[in-house]
Amino acid sequence: MSTATNGGRGSMLGGASDGGAAPAADRALLPSAEPVQLVDPDGQHNHDDRYPLPDGEQLLGAFGRLVAGRRINDQANALVRQGRMAVYPSSHGQEACQVAAAVVLGNEDWLFPTYRDTVAVITRGVDPLQVLTLLRGDWHGGYDPHEHRVATQATPLATQLLHAVGVAHAAKLRGEPTVVLAMCGDGATSEGDFHEALNFAAVFHVPVVFFIQNNEFAISVPLKNQTVAPSLAHKAIGYGMPGERVDGNDLAALLAVLGAAVDRARDGGGPSLIEAHTYRMQAHTNADDATRYRSADDVERWVPRDPILRMRTYLRALNLLTDEGERAFADEADAIAAAIRKGLNTEVEVNPAELFEYVYTEKTSQLREQAEQLREELARDAGAGAAPDAPADGAGDEGDQP
């Protein structure tokens, strides 16, 4: 069992280890000046010596998941408007981040998502209906985290990062090859939990990849009011781990950069911090009015950078994506959406007694008392409701007869 900490410095992701002077080692931890981009918004390949372009088969498969992810986002938003879901934080426009975070992991790895990462969880293989159970408004999280090695979607900011580090540390102590990928938004980087998680991960050299989706807003707070650091990825050097920046709407670059970080962690290289530059195209949730803090022009500027459009252009130019292939992806996405509609339009049998279950192994005296009070109230309501069909004694006087 090893409890070794990080006695040295990590090498730059995708670059050569620098065994020279300390300043050079420090520079090796810094992210690139510009976000890594392998396919530009026009669908053209940009060569990068550090990050090879994923092969066509991998890109085509991931593109199909992008299409499904967009369809899931649109369907979930529609169900919120129809009152079938309580809330849905959409990742519309951020699907490349969602898909890449899921597909770079192996079966033995863990994913720690936030409330906005529904598409990532589904891409990891969790049943869509189970994933959306929590957002429909249910006491249950919807799925078994151990079955797919996906933690429950975290609503509190950055708390899941600490949990992720704990799982990664445990895996290291057990000698397991597990890598943990922990997702968060730009707003979470201002939380104390973010600092504690990164510091512990670096000191104990655990196999975790911190993945920030910088979508420019923490609800209504713009990034400029969140930090004055050169970039969020620059924070990595403060913890002694490498940081990297990547175009968050470039599926190919995300697969390459995140894949390299996961490989590095699995090979004993320790933690790293990846910042994806993307944009939240829709409101924070259905409870948010985004027009109060940003203009339509701001959003419009990001439309040409859409992750689906650029990858489609790239794949079509190479004849990797055909009309038939596009139809197949669309049909598959529609089938997922149809299953979601059918499942969420089915009324759920609610058992109020479950309010008191699964909180403690043995109920406290207060819970037992409250449960009994609720049982009695429900019984009275049921009796009152049954009155018209089963009149009580004395009912049915002649004056009531037609």
Side-chain angles (χ1 to χ4, degrees), residues 37-46 53 250 304-318:
Q37 184 183 78
L38 298 181
V39 176
D40 69 18
D42 294 325
Q44 300 298 311
H45 174 217
N46 291 331
L53 185 72
D250 179 359
R305 308 183 203 182
D306 186 89
I308 295 179
L309 290 177
R310 78 169 69 180
M311 188 49 56
R312 178 181 182 276
T313 302
Y314 176 77
L315 293 172
R316 293 286 297 202
L318 295 178

Side-chain angles (χ1 to χ4, degrees), residues 1-7 108 110 149 164-180 200-208 265-271:
M1 183 173 71
S2 172
T3 57
T5 60
N6 182 14
E108 70 276 24
W110 271 87
R149 295 202 161 208
V165 170
V167 169
H169 187 46
K172 179 182 176 182
L173 294 177
R174 293 180 183 133
E176 298 170 350
T178 302
V179 173
V180 178
F200 189 100
V203 170
F204 288 91
H205 205 57
V206 302
V208 59
R266 202 183 310 284
D267 292 341

Side-chain angles (χ1 to χ4, degrees), residues 243-258:
E244 186 56 287
R245 306 170 68 195
V246 59
D247 183 336
N249 287 10
D250 179 359
L251 178 63
L254 284 160
L255 290 171
V257 171
L258 286 174

Side-chain angles (χ1 to χ4, degrees), residues 15 18 23 58 67 71 79 134 137 181 218 240 278 304 315 322 334 341 348 360 379 386 392:
D18 191 316
Q58 186 181 9
V67 174
R71 188 72 182 86
L79 288 166
L134 181 68
L181 192 149
T278 182
L315 293 172
T322 62
D334 285 342
R341 282 196 307 275
V348 177
Y360 297 101

Side-chain angles (χ1 to χ4, degrees), residues 36-199:
V36 175
Q37 184 183 78
L38 298 181
V39 176
D40 69 18
D42 294 325
Q44 300 298 311
H45 174 217
N46 291 331
H47 178 76
D48 190 313
D49 287 335
R50 301 164 301 167
Y51 299 103
L53 185 72
D55 63 40
E57 183 178 353
Q58 186 181 9
L59 291 177
L60 188 62
F63 174 78
R65 297 180 180 214
L66 276 189
V67 174
R70 177 65 53 85
R71 188 72 182 86
I72 291 166
N73 276 326
D74 292 345
Q75 182 60 74
N77 273 328
L79 288 166
V80 169
R81 293 194 294 273
Q82 295 164 11
R84 306 308 301 184
M85 290 177 61
V87 66
Y88 184 71
S90 176
S91 61
H92 186 113
Q94 300 176 218
E95 290 92 348
C97 293
Q98 299 284 299
V99 170
V103 303
V104 296
L105 296 176
N107 293 334
E108 70 276 24
D109 299 331
W110 271 87
L111 178 70
F112 279 74
T114 74
Y115 53 82
R116 197 178 300 284
D117 300 324
T118 295
V119 170
V121 177
I122 293 173
T123 305
R124 182 80 169 138
V126 183
D127 182 272
L129 277 180
Q130 293 181 8
V131 180
L132 295 172
T133 294
L134 181 68
L135 298 173
R136 176 168 61 180
D138 196 292
W139 63 266
H140 193 273
Y143 56 88
D144 178 0
H146 290 276
E147 182 179 356
H148 296 281
R149 295 202 161 208
V150 178
T152 304
Q153 289 179 262
T155 299
L157 295 187
T159 55
Q160 78 281 4
L161 303 183
L162 291 167
H163 306 157
V165 170
V167 169
H169 187 46
K172 179 182 176 182
L173 294 177
R174 293 180 183 133
E176 298 170 350
T178 302
V179 173
V180 178
L181 192 149
M183 306 175 78
C184 69
D186 43 289
T189 63
S190 295
E191 297 287 330
D193 286 359
F194 176 84
H195 161 70
E196 294 167 15
L198 269 71
N199 192 56

